[in-house]
């Protein structure tokens, strides 16, 4: 096998990743301990086993298609200049907003840290509405907190606002 043969069949890499994921899911699923008091014929292993098996089947079908000459279509949906340099400022600002969220969530709670994340992401992506953006960030953060904490039953740290919400 030479380099051009592999380069022309780069989709085999995707197939290899799918096989790896499928095997990982299957191995993990088969090590799930089932409780002796399990009710019903379908236990916690059923869905992961189906998903892992389907990942492997899709990977094999993709590999067969590629080896028979099938090719993926080139993406034509976006007009991207691949010669333009990366916008590292935006990436670093988004990383800073995410890290600030991670650092604040335990101390200030999700409503405040989430608002910092949303506001930082909006600023990093170019929004400069200094009155509207904090209001939207606070609204999104509080709404997300209430949905997860109250409706879905996923407890998020409330921080000092726990008594208010």
């Amino acid at each position: 096998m030479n380099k051009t043969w592999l380069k022309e069949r780069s989709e085999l890499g995707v197939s290899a990743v799918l096989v790896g994921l499928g095997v990982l899911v299957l191995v993990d699923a088969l090590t799930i301990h089932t409780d002796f008091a399990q009710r019903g014929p379908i236990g916690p292993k059923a869905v992961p086993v189906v998903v892992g098996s389907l990942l492997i089947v899709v990977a094999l079908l993709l590999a067969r298609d590629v080896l028979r000459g099938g090719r993926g279509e080139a993406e034509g949906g976006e007009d991207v200049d691949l010669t333009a340099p990366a916008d590292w400022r935006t990436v670093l600002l988004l990383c800073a907003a995410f890290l600030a969220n991670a650092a604040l969530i335990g101390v200030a709670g999700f409503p405040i840290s989430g608002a910092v994340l949303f506001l930082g992401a909006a600023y990093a992506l170019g929004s400069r509405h200094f009155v509207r953006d904090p209001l939207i960030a606070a609204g999104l953060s509080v709404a997300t907190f209430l949905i997860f904490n109250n409706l879905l039953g996923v407890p998020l740290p409330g921080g000092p606002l726990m008594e208010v919400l």
Side-chain angles (χ1 to χ4, degrees):
M1 283 192 289
N2 57 21
K3 277 186 167 182
T4 58
W5 188 88
L6 284 175
K7 194 171 188 177
E8 291 172 357
R9 291 160 184 82
S10 60
E11 292 94 344
L12 289 175
V14 174
S15 182
V17 169
L18 288 175
V19 166
L21 284 174
V23 169
L24 179 68
V25 169
L26 282 175
V27 167
D28 198 34
L30 295 176
T31 61
I32 294 175
H33 297 289
T34 56
D35 190 3
F36 67 91
Q38 170 184 327
R39 294 184 183 184
I42 297 178
K45 294 181 180 183
V47 172
V49 166
V50 169
V51 169
S53 301
L54 289 176
L55 280 169
I56 292 173
V57 168
V58 167
L60 294 175
L61 291 174
L62 175 63
R64 187 186 81 181
D65 181 53
V66 170
L67 293 174
R68 288 184 173 181
R71 301 272 313 160
E73 290 185 30
E75 176 138 4
E78 292 189 31
D79 199 14
V80 177
D81 182 13
L82 297 176
T83 61
D87 184 9
W88 288 108
R89 179 182 181 274
T90 301
V91 172
L92 292 174
L93 285 172
L94 286 170
C95 287
F98 179 76
L99 291 173
N101 177 39
L104 289 174
I105 196 165
V107 179
F110 183 83
I112 292 173
S113 69
V116 169
L117 175 66
F118 292 137
L119 184 61
Y123 182 82
L125 296 173
S127 180
R128 299 295 185 263
H129 297 276
F130 297 113
V131 174
R132 182 186 68 185
D133 290 347
L135 295 174
I136 291 174
L140 280 172
S141 183
V142 169
T144 303
F145 175 79
L146 292 174
I147 288 170
F148 275 86
N149 201 53
N150 298 346
L151 293 178
L152 298 176
V154 178
L156 295 174
L161 295 179
M162 194 61 156
E163 304 299 321
V164 177
L165 299 175

